[in-house]
Amino acid sequence: EKATYAVTKRGGTEDITLEMIKNDDVGSIRRIPVKLGRAAKRTLAKFVFDFIRTNPVIYDAVALFDAAHGNLGSAALDATSLAARRLAMLKQAELSSTDRLGIGPKTLLVPVDLQEAAVNLFNRNTNNDKTFINAMTLDIIPVWYWTDANDWALASDPMDIPGLELGFLDGNEEPELFVQDLPTVGSMFSNDKVTYKIRHIYSGAVTDFRAFDKSVVA
């Protein structure tokens, strides 16, 4: 199976005047470079989580989550549906083979609306002995910007199935921040403005649908 992608550039600029800097009593202007860095990190996180949220068509011309891939459910998150989707992941077969991979999920991804319910699934509450689901130790990731309050997804350990690949130009995984503040050139010379520029160049693609499972609840 072959997946391809091309890196794309993301970023922007922010201008700050000398007057803004002088009048920055609470330090909000001075925090702009930090906020630019955080914005770049959020953009990268959304790029990754959007593969799960938007269900794109992948390398085999089929949507990532599809009945043909055997990784699409429709039940709300509870102990029964979680066990069923885990079983579906375990039954995924190798490419061009009927041999089962036997690799279950490591991570449970939920909207923030389901975070409490997800955590409570693994609590014993009043039962003295752990149930099957209580005994599972999944990492729970609440995805802050997912707006659908019912959909949830599972992902395997990327060390077992590298289901998603990210590529960064020249290996620069961190965003680059540039400052134009020389008084003799650019916006500082013409308008007394300091210009910050943030740049992050990367892309990625799904490399194996078997690493993911999602339940889309109507």
Side-chain angles (χ1 to χ4, degrees), residues 109-125:
L109 299 102
V110 296
V112 292
D113 311 74
L114 287 179
Q115 183 179 8
E116 182 178 357
V119 171
N120 290 341
L121 275 177
F122 305 102
N123 292 335
R124 290 202 300 185
N125 297 321

Side-chain angles (χ1 to χ4, degrees), residues 89 104-109 137-141 153-158:
M89 292 187 72
K106 182 179 187 295
T107 304
L108 172 60
L109 299 102
T137 55
L138 296 184
D139 298 329
I140 299 172
I141 298 180
L154 296 168
S156 64
D157 189 331

Side-chain angles (χ1 to χ4, degrees), residues 33-110:
V34 176
K35 291 181 178 180
L36 287 173
R38 289 176 176 170
K41 289 293 188 180
R42 286 196 301 271
T43 300
L44 175 58
K46 286 183 177 181
F47 175 78
V48 172
F49 288 129
D50 268 356
F51 284 104
I52 310 297
R53 182 182 68 88
T54 63
N55 194 22
V57 174
I58 59 172
Y59 54 84
D60 59 356
V62 178
L64 169 57
F65 302 106
D66 191 275
H69 288 158
N71 64 353
L72 180 62
S74 59
L77 179 63
D78 59 21
T80 301
S81 60
L82 179 58
R85 298 321 307 167
R86 172 185 174 274
L87 184 61
M89 292 187 72
L90 290 169
K91 290 182 177 181
Q92 287 284 5
E94 294 179 348
L95 176 65
S96 303
S97 170
T98 57
D99 290 341
R100 292 180 178 177
L101 291 173
I103 298 175
K106 182 179 187 295
T107 304
L108 172 60
L109 299 102
V110 296

Side-chain angles (χ1 to χ4, degrees):
E1 293 171 311
K2 180 180 179 180
T4 61
Y5 61 91
V7 296
T8 55
K9 181 168 59 179
R10 297 163 175 81
T13 60
E14 186 71 33
D15 293 329
I16 305 171
T17 65
L18 292 180
E19 291 83 0
M20 292 167 65
I21 296 173
K22 292 295 183 181
N23 295 325
D24 186 21
D25 296 331
V26 296
S28 59
I29 301 300
R30 293 178 179 86
R31 289 195 293 272
I32 285 179
V34 176
K35 291 181 178 180
L36 287 173
R38 289 176 176 170
K41 289 293 188 180
R42 286 196 301 271
T43 300
L44 175 58
K46 286 183 177 181
F47 175 78
V48 172
F49 288 129
D50 268 356
F51 284 104
I52 310 297
R53 182 182 68 88
T54 63
N55 194 22
V57 174
I58 59 172
Y59 54 84
D60 59 356
V62 178
L64 169 57
F65 302 106
D66 191 275
H69 288 158
N71 64 353
L72 180 62
S74 59
L77 179 63
D78 59 21
T80 301
S81 60
L82 179 58
R85 298 321 307 167
R86 172 185 174 274
L87 184 61
M89 292 187 72
L90 290 169
K91 290 182 177 181
Q92 287 284 5
E94 294 179 348
L95 176 65
S96 303
S97 170
T98 57
D99 290 341
R100 292 180 178 177
L101 291 173
I103 298 175
K106 182 179 187 295
T107 304
L108 172 60
L109 299 102
V110 296
V112 292
D113 311 74
L114 287 179
Q115 183 179 8
E116 182 178 357
V119 171
N120 290 341
L121 275 177
F122 305 102
N123 292 335
R124 290 202 300 185
N125 297 321
T126 58
N127 54 308
N128 293 323
D129 299 315
K130 289 184 178 181
T131 65
F132 178 75
I133 294 299
N134 292 155
M136 294 176 63
T137 55
L138 296 184
D139 298 329
I140 299 172
I141 298 180
V143 186
W144 77 99
Y145 76 98
W146 283 2
T147 57
D148 192 305
N150 300 307
D151 293 356
W152 54 282
L154 296 168
S156 64
D157 189 331
M159 297 300 292
D160 292 325
I161 307 179
L164 178 67
E165 178 180 307
L166 290 179
F168 298 86
L169 184 65
D170 297 328
N172 291 326
E173 297 185 8
E174 299 296 327
E176 299 173 281
L177 182 64
F178 305 92
V179 184
Q180 186 184 71
D181 58 356
L182 293 177
T184 56
V185 296
S187 60
M188 191 65 173
F189 175 77
S190 60
N191 297 308
D192 290 330
K193 289 182 179 180
V194 176
T195 300
Y196 289 100
K197 175 183 175 181
I198 191 84
R199 184 176 69 193
H200 210 187
I201 305 175
Y202 58 87
S203 191
V206 173
T207 54
D208 196 333
F209 66 82
R210 302 164 187 83
F212 306 103
D213 192 281
K214 185 177 183 181
S215 290
V216 178
V217 184

